Amino acid sequence: MKAMTRRTYGEADVLESSIVDPPAVADDEVLIEVRAAAVDPGVWIFMTGRPWAVRLASGIRRPRIPILGLDVAGVISAVGARITRFRAGDEVYGTCRSGSFAEFATARETQLAIKPSGISFAQAAATPVSGVTALTSIRTAGVRPGHHVLITGAGGGVGSFAVQLAKARGATVTGVCSTSKADLVRSLGADAVIDYTAEEIDKDGAVYDVILDLAGSRPLSLLRRAAKPRATIALVGGGHTKGRVMGGFHRQMAAPLIAPFLSQKLKGVTSFVRVPELEELTRHIESGTLTPTVGATYPLAEAAEALRDHTTSRSPGKIAITVP
Ligand SMILES: NC(=O)c1ccc[n+]([C@@H]2O[C@H](COP(=O)([O-])OP(=O)(O)OC[C@H]3O[C@@H](n4cnc5c(N)ncnc54)[C@H](OP(=O)(O)O)[C@@H]3O)[C@@H](O)[C@H]2O)c1
């Protein structure tokens, strides 16, 4: 099969077009004919091997899995002996194990759901990692009707889902993004937009009931100044390009240690793609309260350019890769 592979850690230039054997299917896996994959910061982290902590899982000196890509949407072409929920021909979306920047990928059925109707494979592939992270963040922060919610990184992958899901919960949403993404964030339903290149997030004082910090690029002291005294601040993004060892994710890990000393609730968010979350996203998509935002689409052979687009934050929402 065709796949984009890499032999070493590095920037997007390490990706090369290869012909490799399709992955073997274990008893608890399905084989998916990939129609689309997607890019997110996790792909960049596994591609570069930075922060270094990730190499404990992915290989210290060189990557153990040559193919990148977690998000996947496609058609099941074979099922393992213990699979009960799916059969060949089912259109599915979720996350895969063997790498989705390829014509075929394997996945556990516990990380897959039937693809929502009415959206493209590219939109379906854009949804699992970012949509589940947005859903988990909103649940963790306890967003309720009437809450005023501030979302940093609102024009990015997770943010484009979080704005819509917070609106669907009846919140008033202020999205924080750069100038070029402001129109998108408004179109997703945000009631107000703060262009962080021109204004700071505490410009209106301590007015937010909930802050979802997806961008991870503002100090906690600033987030706290924008939050009401009893507000919840959910730390989701770590500013993954910062810090060689932990890449900024120390903020989530430190949250439980700092939280007891603050009047505001401080919560670190960790998300996992599982069936209940995927099925909740499917319900939102099929009822019209959520539309996955694909800001750019690249063919498989141009996966390196998709990574460069993501690294420079050129396109809003998610970047999809279509296969073949
Ligand atoms: N905790 C978890 O389980 C989990 C799971 C998935 C992802 N994450 C993390 O969540 C973060 C967001 O992921 P993503 O997929 O949405 O990444 P993304 O698509 O790269 O989006 C990040 C957004 O942040 C914006 N941004 C940068 N600086 C900003 C600032 N100062 N204020 C507001 N926005 C700013 C960027 O664009 P503009 O600057 O152009 O607006 C971009 O749109 C990443 O750090 C990722 O590693 C965490």
Side-chain angles (χ1 to χ4, degrees):
M1 66 172 185
K2 287 186 195 144
M4 293 303 290
T5 61
R6 60 6 190 313
R7 279 175 275 200
T8 58
Y9 290 116
E11 295 294 336
D13 299 340
V14 299
L15 291 184
E16 54 191 19
S17 188
S18 307
I19 301 292
V20 298
D21 289 335
V25 193
D27 285 353
D28 64 341
E29 291 178 339
V30 302
L31 184 67
I32 300 168
E33 189 183 324
V34 179
R35 296 290 170 82
V39 179
D40 72 287
V43 173
W44 183 89
I45 287 169
F46 281 104
M47 181 179 75
T48 58
R50 297 201 308 266
W52 287 342
V54 75
R55 298 189 188 204
L56 296 174
S58 67
I60 301 290
R61 291 168 66 85
R62 59 182 64 85
R64 270 198 291 268
I65 299 179
I67 304 173
L68 289 170
L70 202 56
D71 283 320
V72 67
V75 182
I76 292 186
S77 60
V79 298
R82 296 211 307 269
I83 296 299
T84 55
R85 291 177 49 236
F86 300 109
R87 58 186 177 189
D90 284 346
E91 296 185 348
V92 292
Y93 79 131
T95 52
C96 68
R97 293 176 93 182
S98 61
S100 55
F101 292 7
E103 288 181 310
F104 291 91
T106 53
R108 286 192 173 124
E109 67 176 346
T110 50
Q111 289 167 330
L112 288 178
I114 293 291
K115 172 186 161 290
S117 57
I119 61 168
S120 65
F121 280 105
Q123 285 176 299
T127 300
V129 170
S130 298
V132 169
T133 303
L135 191 62
T136 307
S137 305
I138 281 168
R139 281 182 185 163
T140 305
V143 173
R144 292 200 309 269
H147 270 167
H148 195 172
V149 179
L150 182 81
I151 302 177
T152 72
V158 179
S160 58
F161 286 96
V163 169
Q164 298 180 73
L165 291 171
K167 286 302 298 176
R169 282 216 175 184
T172 299
V173 174
T174 298
V176 186
C177 60
S178 58
T179 316
S180 67
K181 292 173 185 163
D183 285 346
L184 169 80
V185 173
R186 274 190 210 96
S187 76
L188 295 173
D191 301 277
V193 170
I194 295 176
D195 175 350
Y196 70 82
T197 66
E199 296 172 313
E200 237 345 322
I201 60 168
D202 63 344
K203 71 182 182 65
D204 297 322
V207 295
Y208 299 105
D209 300 288
V210 171
I211 296 182
L212 304 181
D213 185 29
L214 310 180
S217 55
R218 285 293 182 272
L220 181 58
S221 55
L222 180 62
L223 299 177
R224 293 192 59 214
R225 278 205 298 281
K228 287 181 180 173
R230 300 278 164 198
T232 300
I233 301 172
L235 303 175
V236 185
H240 57 278
T241 53
K242 292 180 200 157
R244 287 178 161 198
V245 179
M246 293 302 295
F249 289 108
H250 58 274
R251 282 168 33 117
Q252 280 103 311
M253 294 166 76
L257 304 176
I258 308 168
F261 303 101
L262 307 179
S263 66
Q264 293 145 333
K265 292 187 220 53
L266 191 61
K267 300 195 171 179
V269 174
T270 309
S271 67
F272 301 96
V273 173
R274 293 176 303 206
V275 175
E277 284 79 10
L278 287 171
E279 289 183 343
E280 183 165 345
L281 291 169
T282 297
R283 285 194 289 278
H284 276 290
I285 292 168
E286 292 186 342
S287 69
T289 51
L290 181 66
T291 304
T293 306
V294 177
T297 305
Y298 294 83
L300 179 62
E302 291 172 26
E305 195 48 35
L307 262 302
R308 286 186 203 103
D309 184 335
H310 179 260
T311 309
T312 53
S313 250
R314 223 161 48 212
S315 299
K318 286 277 280 200
I319 295 163
I321 292 174
T322 51
V323 186

